[in-house]
Amino acid sequence: MVAQVIDGKAFAAKVRAQVADQVTKLKEENGITPGLAVVLVGEDPASQVYVRSKGKQTVEVGMNSYEHKLDPETSEDDLLALIDKLNNDPAVHGILVQLPLPKHLNEDLVINSIDPAKDVDGFHISNVGLLGTGQKSMVPCTPLGCLMMLRDHHGSLSGMDAVVIGRSNIVGKPMAQLLLGDSCTVTIAHSRTKDLPDVVRRADIVVAAVGRPEMVPGDWIKEGATVIDVGINRIERDGKNKLVGDVDYASAAERAGAITPVPGGVGPMTIACLLANTVTACCRANGLSEPEGLTA
Ligand code: GUN
């Protein structure tokens, strides 16, 4: 079997267009412009690239972008004071604090100081609990993007065997909760899992989110399975810098029914879902009905 390629870049463009339509509607019918505040502490180059891209795409869909770039030495008190100000600012519907934070700042404390209704990352402990109990919450962007692509490809996921490789709070755990919410039978595999190849071979859906280049070879993939590769790993091959996923794409594509490429798969969906979450947060804050298809 040669796999169908799931085009995350095209899918993300569709999500952004839906968000832009919703923003236009909010402006014209309600006089509201959704606003997203992004806070960056320090000068981590990768974080600077992400934050720039988030700000640019926010503006492109017609929303207001508020960027707060803080000195690497910023105290916890000063950061918490800024978050408190954003929590109380009615023009701000979404707040994202870019991670990782400098070592002297307590990440859990900072994230949990964000108003859960504005927590567009879905990292606040209240949102984690709401998602885990099947209640309405803000859903982490990367797993939300994966779920959208899976639903688009399969329609219903009910009864499918899903394996999530990786147990991070940002991707693995919320991904498993979302798949469970869609009535999959879910296994979370990790570095201590016994017989990982056999576990993966049982899966109709494989989500790989470990951050290890090409660790899943094609012969672990069940014929016809759907493979969602969350990994973005920079490697050097044949003297060139290359981006690869957690799955060995060439061999997996020979067995899978459908597969996301790297780059151009899950990656573009993350920011698209951040924009979707911001519109959702804005609608909820204003007691308006939520746009369909942009939430879990
Ligand atoms: N750093 C890397 N990915 C993310 C993300 O999705 N959200 C935040 N806040 N920081 C990140």
Side-chain angles (χ1 to χ4, degrees):
M1 176 174 273
V2 176
Q4 179 185 331
V5 179
I6 299 177
D7 185 344
K9 203 172 157 194
F11 201 110
K14 237 166 64 180
V15 171
R16 286 196 302 273
Q18 264 177 283
V19 170
D21 282 349
Q22 205 62 38
V23 170
T24 303
K25 217 168 121 196
L26 280 163
K27 284 181 183 174
E28 288 177 356
E29 294 177 12
N30 307 95
I32 301 164
T33 303
L36 172 64
V38 175
V39 180
L40 172 63
V41 187
E43 285 152 9
D44 177 69
S47 293
Q48 285 177 328
V49 172
Y50 283 131
V51 165
R52 207 173 309 129
S53 189
K54 285 168 184 171
K56 183 169 169 275
Q57 293 190 38
T58 301
V59 171
E60 279 169 3
V61 295
M63 304 199 292
N64 288 327
S65 169
Y66 308 101
E67 280 184 29
H68 296 269
K69 293 184 177 158
L70 306 183
D71 190 88
E73 312 292 323
T74 301
S75 71
E76 202 159 84
D77 282 352
D78 284 351
L79 179 55
L80 294 176
L82 171 62
I83 292 171
D84 186 53
K85 206 176 98 192
L86 298 172
N87 282 343
N88 290 296
D89 184 343
V92 172
H93 304 96
I95 302 169
L96 179 146
V97 177
Q98 186 67 27
L99 303 177
L101 287 170
K103 295 256 179 305
H104 67 283
L105 299 169
N106 180 334
E107 233 163 63
D108 287 337
L109 181 76
V110 170
I111 294 302
N112 290 324
S113 73
I114 298 171
D115 177 348
K118 297 189 179 188
D119 168 37
V120 282
D121 260 329
F123 295 165
H124 190 289
I125 195 70
S126 297
N127 282 315
V128 175
L130 290 168
L131 177 62
T133 50
Q135 300 179 71
K136 195 155 89 171
S137 66
M138 296 309 300
V139 177
C141 305
T142 300
L144 178 58
C146 296
L147 183 75
M148 283 183 185
M149 292 194 287
L150 284 167
R151 281 179 176 170
D152 182 67
H153 184 73
H154 286 285
S156 169
L157 308 181
S158 182
M160 296 181 83
D161 282 318
V163 170
V164 179
I165 314 172
R167 54 176 155 177
S168 71
N169 291 335
I170 292 181
V171 183
K173 286 178 196 160
M175 186 75 246
Q177 296 288 5
L178 289 170
L179 291 165
L180 198 54
D182 272 27
S183 301
C184 291
T185 302
V186 182
T187 303
I188 306 180
H190 47 78
S191 54
R192 302 289 175 92
T193 296
K194 283 186 280 180
D195 302 324
L196 182 60
D198 284 346
V199 170
V200 176
R201 278 186 194 113
R202 288 202 297 268
D204 304 308
I205 294 170
V206 179
V207 180
V210 273
R212 285 181 55 194
E214 299 173 331
M215 72 155 282
V216 178
D219 71 353
W220 291 11
I221 303 298
K222 180 162 93 173
E223 195 72 31
T226 300
V227 177
I228 305 290
D229 192 350
V230 181
I232 302 177
N233 309 291
R234 204 168 283 282
I235 61 159
E236 192 154 311
R237 179 172 291 153
D238 306 327
K240 286 185 192 140
N241 248 321
K242 208 170 174 269
L243 278 187
V244 299
D246 291 347
V247 176
D248 176 38
Y249 184 85
S251 60
E254 285 176 17
R255 293 172 66 94
I259 187 167
T260 58
V262 177
V266 175
M269 287 297 286
T270 297
I271 298 184
C273 288
L274 173 68
L275 305 176
N277 276 349
T278 305
V279 162
T280 299
C282 178
C283 290
R284 288 179 186 169
N286 289 283
L288 302 167
S289 59
E290 290 173 28
E292 261 180 49
L294 294 180
T295 46

